[in-house]
Amino acid sequence: MESVNFKFFLCVIGMVLVLEGIPYFAFPEKLKSLYVKIQETSEVNLRMSGFLAIVFGLLLVYFGTS
């Protein structure tokens, strides 16, 4: 049973990497300008955005597994 869970974990990590890599491959010039905008954004806004992304992701995992 453990190997099935590990295979699933590897599949999930692989899909995350695929989804994360698509913008870099498809729109590299737009990402560069986005990074400049991110540098100009306050740390409070970045932390809140990150926190909300974590909460939303946890909710997706919770509802997807229940």
Side-chain angles (χ1 to χ4, degrees), residues 5-60:
N5 290 335
F6 187 68
K7 286 181 181 179
F8 178 73
F9 175 75
L10 288 179
C11 286
V12 169
I13 295 297
M15 287 304 300
V16 167
L17 291 173
V18 167
L19 291 174
E20 287 286 331
I22 288 172
Y24 293 97
F25 178 75
F27 311 107
E29 65 283 345
K30 292 188 187 266
L31 278 175
K32 286 182 178 182
S33 65
L34 177 64
Y35 288 147
V36 170
K37 289 179 185 177
I38 288 174
Q39 287 180 337
E40 297 169 355
T41 304
S42 73
E43 290 182 14
V44 172
N45 287 341
L46 289 175
R47 285 185 196 273
M48 186 56 67
S49 298
F51 177 73
L52 291 174
I54 290 169
V55 170
F56 185 67
L58 287 172
L59 285 172
L60 286 175

